[in-house]
């Protein structure tokens, strides 16, 4: 090995060790340091009972929802390279994505299917949390954060629905915002604020688009961070306490 090789290896090993600071083997202290010094692993509490990690306790529904959200951010960003939020150009842009953009149809389908799936996994995750009684103190605040996450998931689905600007989208948004208009006192103002006027048109498209690609994903990202941080601060999953009681 010449001196250049040696220097390269030394640099590579320094970079490796600056990211992964502790090995797996060795003492319990080593293992706990490996966990707490890693941004992903440190979401777990320092001590986790093996039984609380059972697949059948959570079915991974929370983490699957979070992964689907990442898939949606990634595929959504790709779609934004081609989509144009204008009433004349939205539908042709969407057709172009499907018919002539390389992997366009695949990307659009990924985005749609991930969105449908996320609604399903978030609702199932909520049902699982309820079934295991994990909404009780000290997790009541995280339950409330979760309720907002559910509402945001639904709001993202609803705002995304208008973007293709086809007949289905147009009438779904017309009906949806008309329903919002029946809310006592606030209804009319809310409807007009959503569609940007008295009937669905260009200003509705730009409003729904901005909510869909910027405002709602930003709030969602922040709330998911708070949600996961709360799971950690509440002592990990509720199963941990039940195991201690047994
Ligand atoms: C975008 C939507 C959501 C994401 C990404 C998410 C993510 C997660 C993750 C990763 C966990 C850790 C355990 C697990 O995987 O089950 C968790 C736990 C929890 N989630 Fe969610 N969640 C979401 C929506 C909700 C909703 C709608 C509720 C309830 C209204 C909720 C309430 C809770 C509670 C109370 C816990 C603690 C559970 C326990 O200690 O057993 N979450 N969430």
């Amino acid at each position: 090995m010449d001196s250049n090789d040696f220097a390269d290896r030394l640099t590579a090993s320094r970079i490796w060790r600056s990211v992964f600071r502790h090995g797996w083997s060795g003492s319990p202290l080593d293992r706990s340091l490996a966990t707490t010094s890693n941004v992903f692993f440190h979401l777990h509490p320092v001590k986790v009972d093996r039984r609380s990690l059972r697949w059948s306790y959570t079915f991974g529904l929370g983490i699957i929802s979070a992964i689907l959200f990442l898939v949606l951010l990634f595929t959504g960003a790709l779609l934004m390279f081609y989509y144009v939020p204008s009433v004349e150009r939205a539908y042709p842009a969407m057709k172009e994505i499907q018919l002539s953009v390389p992997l366009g149809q695949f990307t659009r389908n990924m985005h749609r299917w991930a969105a449908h799936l996320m609604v399903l996994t978030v609702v199932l995750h909520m049902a699982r949390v309820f079934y295991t009684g994990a909404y009780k103190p000290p997790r009541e605040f995280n339950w409330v954060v979760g309720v907002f996450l559910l509402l945001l998931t639904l709001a993202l689905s609803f705002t995304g629905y208008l973007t293709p600007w086809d007949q289905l989208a147009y009438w779904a948004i017309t009906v949806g915002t008309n329903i919002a208009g029946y809310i006592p006192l606030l209804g009319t103002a809310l409807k007009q604020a959503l569609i940007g006027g008295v009937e669905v048109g260009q200003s509705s498209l730009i409003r729904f688009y901005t909510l869909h690609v910027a405002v709602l994903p930003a709030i969602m990202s922040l709330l998911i961070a708070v949600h996961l941080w709360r799971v950690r601060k509440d002592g990990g999953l509720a199963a941990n306490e039940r195991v201690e009681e047994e």
Side-chain angles (χ1 to χ4, degrees):
M1 189 193 305
D2 66 23
S3 61
N4 277 350
D5 272 2
F6 182 70
D8 284 353
R9 282 199 183 185
L10 199 65
T11 317
S13 100
R14 270 196 196 139
I15 293 174
W16 177 263
R17 269 187 286 129
S18 71
V19 182
F20 302 100
R21 296 180 182 211
H22 301 276
W24 286 108
S25 57
S27 61
L29 177 66
D30 245 2
R31 274 183 257 155
S32 94
L33 284 173
T35 308
T36 47
S37 64
N38 179 299
V39 68
F40 297 108
F41 292 146
H42 96 282
L43 290 172
H44 288 291
V46 179
K47 268 186 164 180
V48 183
D49 192 291
R50 190 183 292 269
R51 283 168 291 182
S52 81
L53 294 175
R54 270 192 312 242
W55 163 249
S56 58
Y57 181 71
T58 61
F59 296 104
L61 287 163
I63 212 71
I64 294 173
S65 309
I67 292 170
L68 285 171
F69 180 61
L70 293 181
V71 170
L72 285 160
L73 286 184
F74 181 67
T75 52
L78 291 180
L79 293 172
M80 280 175 76
F81 283 119
Y82 294 94
Y83 177 79
V84 189
S86 123
V87 289
E88 286 90 27
R89 295 180 58 196
Y91 187 74
M94 195 256 309
K95 280 285 152 206
E96 191 194 327
I97 290 173
Q98 277 183 294
L99 302 174
S100 48
V101 173
L103 293 179
Q105 172 85 301
F106 177 71
T107 310
R108 181 163 184 248
N109 283 347
M110 286 264 289
H111 197 71
R112 266 193 103 95
W113 280 98
H116 294 322
L117 254 177
M118 189 174 164
V119 173
L120 185 72
T121 56
V122 170
V123 170
L124 289 177
H125 168 64
M126 185 175 176
R128 184 296 284 173
V129 169
F130 183 75
Y131 177 70
T132 54
Y135 55 84
K136 292 177 198 162
R139 294 177 181 76
E140 71 277 35
F141 174 67
N142 218 11
W143 173 266
V144 175
V145 174
V147 171
F148 282 104
L149 286 175
L150 174 69
L151 294 177
L152 280 168
T153 308
L154 298 177
L156 274 161
S157 293
F158 187 60
T159 50
Y161 210 78
L162 185 65
T163 53
W165 200 253
D166 50 9
Q167 284 293 311
L168 195 65
Y170 181 87
W171 291 108
I173 300 306
T174 305
V175 172
T177 48
N178 273 344
I179 294 174
Y182 288 112
I183 298 175
L185 306 177
L186 290 176
T188 316
L190 179 68
K191 183 185 160 189
Q192 287 186 3
L194 270 178
I195 62 176
V198 285
E199 60 181 39
V200 177
Q202 177 59 58
S203 31
S204 330
L205 181 56
I206 203 77
R207 280 181 190 208
F208 273 63
Y209 178 73
T210 310
L211 285 171
H212 187 72
V213 303
V215 181
L216 297 176
I219 305 176
M220 182 82 135
S221 306
L222 189 76
L223 277 195
I224 290 182
V226 173
H227 193 62
L228 297 181
W229 174 77
R230 260 331 315 163
V231 171
R232 172 77 172 79
K233 288 289 162 190
D234 291 336
L237 298 186
N240 282 351
E241 285 141 39
R242 211 155 303 137
V243 166
E244 273 162 27
E245 282 163 17
E246 275 171 15

